[in-house]
């Protein structure tokens, strides 16, 4: 049996906009992935602990509060420090192109999907990266 | 005189002989909410319409045609742009900029820590201070926020829910410092906690305790701040979270009725607080559906308030509302197109009889708006008001076969939802069961699917794409130093204030919260002593507990 891709979908920080993350979570589940949704208002520590415990392949962050430049680096570092350096970190939300470029260049995120990205694209990206 | 029956018969033959043989594009003729729309509406679609019962005159029951007698001929809607970022100093400058450009009311956006009741120095606030609104930690920040803005002259709307009573107390106290008595204050606190559980998710306390804080506000306002709008019952966030138009209408009004029932259960006379309830709707892209929504909302509210809740004061029957154009309709691609979207949405709000309006700026899908884009958004409203001629007559679409039929349909479908909610035993029980959350998540998913399948075209996003698009507009950046500055100001405040009276007033609040006393005077006292938002919230959490949502998707 082929191992199903496991994804942790997480809402870090105080932002409560959960429309996007729920839509993506459903689409990933419909595409055959195991999706775990953390719920709202998670600290970086809580997210990383869940990712390690659930042994996920991918962590997807949704941030619409503008706090992405703080949260992505923090969560990437915590993953690396807790034997999660192989976990792929992706995200979406209100992230302008300049910030996105900086996050990607510094490897704080492996991919960022702007609002309006078709979910098929996200699914295809994950399927390609997780082997 | 032509009989409706004759028209219906002719319509049938017109359809068979002409329309069915004519070309029809291969698309679904549905509203953005998936409501099917017919090719033609005729008198047959509104044959049961009773002018006095269903429409009436502007300023008269059931207010379908508008809540004021002269509507926009008497007074244009308030042009109210939602703004706030960084610290109180920067936001104060933006407010004065907007007032100078002809804006007629203020609307304050708070940052996430403030919305959630945390001070800027709390670990949860890291990276969030001043990001999507202004950071307010204490009365000192509120004084700065309204520096040189006379609070007896402007009306201020504040988007605050979980900690609404505390922020409102800070506003009242800031006015006191300006020498303005609370009787003169004019404005709105959003204070709609139910839609937080349903959609926006900025909650603090559990629902029943939150409702108690709200009824405390009703009582305090009726005695001391009589011109204040104590709740802005908000569909905006329900729609942004993904609901369709009917759900927005139905869930919002259901929330409104829940506040009315809570006030009555707390022993208040409905006419003492209902006139101060106002509403806040979204204006999305489907032009006619939105107008029908506003018209249906007024009619449903008036009828229920009069017939079910026994309100006698006509002011209790009025559904007054603010509108904001739909942020979720904007695209990150070709952001200049958002100016056009916003203009159409604003127009439907105006034709729907709004009392005030925020037009989104083209760049809000990317970041907080720049001064340039905010100015275009405000100019959009001014062009509608002064150039298009749509304000010349009241409720110009009334009597349209299509508009009246759509208005009736919205009302009927909202009634179905009310019956559903009733089955759960009311709004709070339905929240506990995750009913609204699931309905909205389903609708959001359907909407996304329709876009991805190409059933719904969004220009520049899934069709008419510009492949080599480069971002050509400026983006407002929040300096990370803002957070340090704000934390520093807070640290200095905590040293300079009288910490004994802070402690004493927090203790008094704790005692009041445990009893049945109105919490407002105690919150005001703590605020006057410069107790911080976070301190007051912690004190109340120790009595009320905190809300936790069951995660689901």
């Amino acid at each position: 049996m082929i191992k199903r891709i496991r994804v942790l979908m997480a809402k870090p920080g105080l932002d409560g906009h959960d429309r996007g993350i729920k839509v993506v979570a459903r689409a990933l589940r419909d595409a055959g992935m195991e999706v775990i949704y953390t719920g709202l208002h998670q600290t970086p520590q809580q997210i990383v602990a869940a990712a390690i415990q659930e042994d996920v392949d991918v962590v997807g962050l949704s941030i619409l509060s503008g706090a992405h430049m703080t949260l992505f680096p923090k969560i990437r570092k915590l993953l690396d420090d807790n034997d999660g350096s192989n976990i792929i970190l992706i995200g979406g939300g209100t992230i302008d192109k300049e910030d996105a470029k900086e996050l990607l260049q510094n490897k704080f995120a492996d991919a960022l999907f702007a609002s309006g990205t078709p979910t098929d694209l996200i699914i295809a990206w994950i399927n390609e990266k997780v082997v | 005189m032509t009989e409706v029956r004759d028209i219906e018969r002719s319509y049938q033959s017109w359809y068979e002989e002409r329309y069915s043989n004519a070309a029809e594009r291969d698309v679904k003729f549905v509203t953005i909410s998936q409501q099917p729309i017919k090719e033609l509406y005729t008198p047959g679609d509104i044959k049961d319409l009773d002018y006095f019962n269903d429409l009436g005159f502007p300023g008269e029951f059931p207010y379908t045609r508008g809540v004021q007698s002269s509507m926009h001929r008497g007074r244009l809607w308030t042009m109210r742009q939602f703004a706030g970022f960084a610290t109180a100093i920067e936001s104060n400058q933006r407010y004065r900029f907007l007032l100078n450009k002809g804006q007629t009311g203020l609307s304050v956006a708070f940052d996430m820590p403030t919305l959630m009741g945390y001070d800027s120095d709390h670990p949860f606030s890291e990276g969030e201070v001043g990001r999507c609104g202004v950071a307010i930690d204490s009365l000192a920040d509120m004084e700065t926020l309204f520096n040189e803005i006379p609070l007896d002259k402007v009306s201020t709307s504040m988007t605050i829910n979980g900690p609404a009573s505390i922020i409102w107390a800070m506003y009242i106290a800031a006015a006191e410092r300006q020498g303005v008595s609370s009787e003169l204050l004019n404005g709105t606190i959003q204070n709609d906690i139910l839609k937080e559980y349903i959609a926006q998710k900025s909650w603090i306390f559990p629902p029943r305790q939150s409702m108690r804080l709200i009824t405390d506000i009703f009582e305090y306002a009726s005695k001391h701040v009589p011109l204040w709008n104590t709740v802005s019952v908000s569909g905006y966030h329900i729609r942004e979270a993904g609901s369709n138009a009917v759900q927005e209408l139905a869930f919002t009004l259901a929330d409104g009725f829940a506040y009315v029932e809570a006030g009555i259960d707390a022993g208040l006379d409905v006419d003492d607080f209902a006139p101060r309830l106002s509403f806040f709707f979204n204006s999305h892209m489907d032009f006619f559906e939105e107008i029908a929504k506003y018209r249906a909302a007024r009619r449903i509210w008036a009828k229920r308030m009069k017939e079910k809740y026994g309100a006698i004061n006509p002011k209790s029957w009025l559904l007054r509302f603010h509108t904001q154009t739909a942020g979720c309709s904007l695209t990150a691609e070709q952001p200049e197109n958002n100016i056009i979207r916003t203009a159409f949405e604003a127009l439907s709000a105006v034709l729907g009889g709004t009392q005030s309006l925020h037009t989104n700026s083209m760049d809000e899908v990317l970041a907080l708006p720049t001064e340039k884009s905010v100015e275009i958004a405000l100019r959009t409203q001014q062009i509608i008001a002064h150039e298009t001629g749509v304000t010349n007559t009241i409720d110009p679409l009334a009597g349209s076969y299509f508009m009246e039929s759509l208005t009736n349909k919205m009302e009927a479908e909202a009634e179905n939802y009310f019956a559903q909610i009733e089955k759960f035993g009311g709004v709070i029980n339905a929240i506990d069961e995750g009913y609204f959350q699931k309905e909205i998540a389903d609708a959001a998913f359907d909407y996304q699917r329709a876009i991805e399948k190409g059933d719904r075209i969004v220009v520049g996003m899934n069709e008419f794409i510009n492949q080599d698009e480069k971002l050509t507009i400026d983006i407002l950046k929040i300096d990370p130093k803002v957070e340090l500055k704000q934390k520093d100001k807070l640290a200095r405040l905590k040293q300079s204030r009288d910490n004994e009276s802070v402690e004493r007033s927090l203790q008094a609040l704790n005692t009041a919260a445990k009893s049945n006393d109105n919490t407002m005077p105690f919150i005001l006292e703590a605020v006057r002593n410069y107790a911080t938002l976070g301190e007051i919230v912690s004190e109340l959490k120790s009595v009320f507990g905190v809300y936790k949502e069951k995660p689901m998707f």
Side-chain angles (χ1 to χ4, degrees):
Chain A
M1 201 181 113
I2 304 165
K3 183 179 169 280
R4 287 168 80 188
I5 297 174
R6 293 174 66 80
V7 184
L8 181 78
M9 298 296 283
K11 282 291 295 182
L14 300 174
D15 158 38
H17 294 88
D18 59 1
R19 174 181 183 161
I21 196 167
K22 286 181 169 180
V23 167
V24 175
R26 265 192 207 200
L28 299 186
R29 184 181 60 195
D30 290 354
M33 300 178 197
E34 294 265 13
V35 181
I36 302 136
Y37 171 44
T38 61
L40 295 170
H41 309 143
Q42 301 293 301
T43 62
Q45 289 78 5
Q46 287 171 319
I47 292 167
V48 170
I52 304 292
Q53 195 194 340
E54 297 284 351
D55 189 25
V56 297
D57 305 295
V58 180
V59 172
L61 302 180
S62 158
I63 306 172
L64 288 87
S65 68
H68 47 268
M69 297 308 277
T70 308
L71 290 166
F72 273 99
K74 202 161 191 176
I75 290 168
R76 181 71 264 175
K77 180 162 190 312
L78 279 168
L79 282 171
D80 294 346
D81 292 350
N82 289 278
D83 291 333
S85 53
N86 56 329
I87 296 176
I88 295 168
L89 183 64
I90 61 176
T94 318
I95 302 172
D96 70 69
K97 285 185 182 164
E98 272 178 47
D99 284 353
K101 211 168 131 193
E102 200 181 319
L103 290 171
L104 293 170
Q105 271 173 357
N106 292 311
K107 304 257 191 286
F108 294 134
D110 296 298
L112 294 171
F113 301 99
S115 97
T117 308
T119 50
D120 286 349
L121 254 165
I122 305 175
I123 293 163
W125 189 93
I126 295 176
N127 278 326
E128 194 194 307
K129 294 289 163 174
V130 180
V131 279
Chain B
M1 180 91 186
T2 320
E3 294 277 337
V4 173
R5 230 177 316 130
D6 300 334
I7 297 174
E8 283 180 310
R9 214 175 298 125
S10 310
Y11 173 61
Q12 205 56 41
S13 41
W14 168 83
Y15 186 89
E16 281 154 22
E17 288 159 27
R18 295 190 182 274
Y19 189 82
S20 60
N21 298 320
E24 190 180 68
R25 284 180 296 122
D26 182 25
V27 295
K28 284 184 185 153
F29 294 93
V30 295
T31 69
I32 204 163
S33 306
Q34 301 299 321
Q35 290 267 11
I37 297 295
K38 295 202 298 180
E39 67 292 328
L40 193 76
Y41 289 77
T42 70
D45 292 291
I46 54 168
K47 59 185 171 201
D48 298 324
L49 192 80
D50 178 286
Y51 188 83
F52 288 106
N53 246 324
D54 298 329
L55 303 178
F57 285 91
E60 289 181 8
F61 193 85
Y63 304 98
T64 312
R65 306 204 62 185
V67 291
Q68 292 116 352
S69 312
S70 60
M71 285 304 293
H72 299 139
R73 279 172 73 108
R75 201 177 137 268
L76 290 169
W77 61 93
T78 305
M79 299 178 190
R80 195 192 290 281
Q81 297 295 94
F82 187 42
F85 58 97
T87 73
I89 296 172
E90 288 84 1
S91 292
N92 174 263
Q93 279 164 1
R94 176 65 70 92
Y95 298 155
R96 289 200 267 159
F97 166 85
L98 286 166
L99 290 170
N100 278 333
K101 295 277 175 190
Q103 174 164 298
T104 45
L106 295 176
S107 177
V108 183
F110 297 100
D111 69 357
M112 280 312 305
T114 307
L115 294 173
M116 296 297 292
Y118 293 109
D119 285 340
S120 300
D121 59 359
H122 193 281
F124 276 159
S125 305
E126 196 189 340
E128 312 244 22
V129 175
R131 288 275 162 189
C132 58
V134 59
I136 299 292
D137 291 320
S138 76
L139 172 57
D141 295 324
M142 200 62 107
E143 290 164 5
T144 308
L145 190 62
F146 294 104
N147 184 32
E148 287 184 44
I149 298 172
L151 295 183
D152 51 347
K153 301 275 179 345
V154 295
S155 79
T156 306
S157 168
M158 291 186 282
T159 298
I160 193 75
N161 295 280
S165 33
I166 304 161
I167 292 292
W168 188 43
M170 287 181 187
Y171 188 84
I172 295 169
E176 281 171 3
R177 299 284 196 263
Q178 286 189 5
V180 175
S181 129
S182 67
E183 275 87 27
L184 300 174
L185 294 179
N186 210 307
T188 306
I189 39 176
Q190 196 164 75
N191 196 26
D192 173 10
I193 200 68
L194 293 173
K195 68 93 175 50
E196 296 298 333
Y197 305 117
I198 292 172
Q200 172 88 343
K201 316 289 172 86
S202 299
W203 56 66
I204 299 176
F205 314 110
R208 289 161 185 88
Q209 287 76 2
S210 294
M211 292 301 269
R212 182 258 175 108
L213 289 174
I214 289 170
T215 51
D216 284 354
I217 289 173
F218 287 168
E219 191 195 29
Y220 190 85
S222 71
K223 290 184 184 142
H224 305 286
V225 204
L227 303 176
W228 200 268
N229 296 310
T230 49
V231 178
S232 167
V233 191
S234 302
Y236 187 79
H237 319 81
I238 292 174
R239 192 68 181 278
E240 290 290 301
S243 85
N244 62 37
V246 174
Q247 291 167 332
E248 179 196 355
L249 172 68
F251 298 170
T252 309
L253 292 182
D255 287 349
F257 300 137
Y259 293 120
V260 169
E261 288 169 17
I264 293 170
D265 290 347
L268 305 174
D269 184 330
V270 65
D271 286 317
D272 279 346
F273 64 90
R276 303 318 308 169
L277 300 178
S278 63
F279 286 79
F280 173 20
F281 289 110
N282 195 295
S283 193
H284 213 297
M285 279 308 289
D286 200 292
F287 192 72
F288 294 112
E289 184 173 58
E290 295 302 278
I291 300 170
K293 179 182 77 184
Y294 308 125
R295 299 176 84 247
R298 279 193 291 269
R299 183 158 78 204
I300 298 169
W301 184 255
K303 290 195 166 166
R304 285 237 168 170
M305 289 306 288
K306 187 178 178 187
E307 289 154 16
K308 182 165 179 195
Y309 298 112
I312 297 164
N313 182 353
K315 290 208 164 78
S316 301
W317 306 337
L318 299 184
L319 181 142
R320 297 169 296 128
F321 70 102
H322 172 70
T323 309
Q324 179 169 339
T325 56
C328 62
S329 70
L330 306 185
T331 63
E333 299 82 2
Q334 305 175 35
E336 291 90 341
N337 294 345
N338 294 331
I339 298 173
I340 322 296
R341 293 192 175 95
T342 297
F344 286 120
E345 293 168 350
L347 185 59
S348 62
V350 168
L351 291 172
T354 197
Q355 274 61 63
S356 64
L357 178 60
H358 166 104
T359 32
N360 287 325
S361 302
M362 61 173 160
D363 47 359
E364 284 184 70
V365 68
L366 302 164
L368 290 186
T370 60
E371 276 193 1
K372 171 87 186 159
S373 65
V374 172
E375 184 167 345
I376 294 172
L378 177 60
R379 296 292 180 242
T380 305
Q381 294 198 39
Q382 291 162 338
I383 289 167
I384 292 173
H386 303 290
E387 296 188 24
T388 63
V390 297
T391 59
N392 283 335
T393 191
I394 302 165
D395 190 27
L397 294 174
S400 145
Y401 311 125
F402 175 43
M403 180 53 61
E404 295 304 352
S405 145
L406 196 56
T407 305
N408 291 345
K409 199 162 171 219
M410 302 279 296
E411 181 179 5
E413 295 196 1
E415 292 288 348
N416 289 339
Y417 272 115
F418 299 150
Q420 285 278 341
I421 296 164
E422 201 65 37
K423 277 193 202 144
F424 282 98
V427 170
I428 293 181
N429 290 345
I431 289 170
D432 288 344
E433 299 287 325
Y435 168 69
F436 301 106
Q437 299 90 317
K438 176 144 197 322
E439 282 278 317
I440 293 170
D442 288 348
F445 193 68
D446 292 346
Y447 181 76
Q448 181 68 22
R449 285 288 295 274
I451 287 174
E452 294 191 5
K453 287 190 345 217
D455 286 348
R456 175 160 294 283
I457 289 176
V458 180
V459 173
M461 189 169 92
N462 64 353
E463 189 71 84
F464 315 111
I465 298 165
N466 185 351
Q467 292 296 356
D468 11 79
E469 183 185 354
K470 293 218 170 51
L471 189 64
T472 49
I473 59 173
D474 292 332
I475 293 286
L476 179 85
K477 290 272 187 188
I478 304 295
D479 188 340
K481 284 199 201 93
V482 161
E483 190 159 322
L484 300 173
K485 252 175 35 189
Q486 184 65 18
K487 281 163 84 166
D488 189 50
K489 185 178 176 191
L490 181 59
R492 276 184 282 123
L493 174 86
K494 283 182 177 173
Q495 288 194 337
S496 62
R497 67 185 182 178
D498 175 355
N499 279 307
E500 267 176 42
S501 46
V502 170
E503 197 43 48
R504 207 176 327 113
S505 51
L506 288 174
Q507 271 314 312
L509 172 62
N510 188 299
T511 312
K514 282 177 185 149
S515 75
N516 285 327
D517 290 349
N518 191 318
T519 48
M520 264 317 287
F522 297 92
I523 292 172
L524 247 170
E525 195 48 32
V527 159
R528 288 189 190 110
N529 288 324
Y530 295 94
T532 66
L533 173 69
E535 290 166 339
I536 299 172
V537 167
S538 297
E539 202 63 55
L540 290 172
K541 277 181 183 170
S542 73
V543 180
F544 294 154
V546 293
Y547 181 70
K548 279 255 176 286
E549 183 190 57
K550 227 184 321 159
M552 51 161 257
F553 63 89

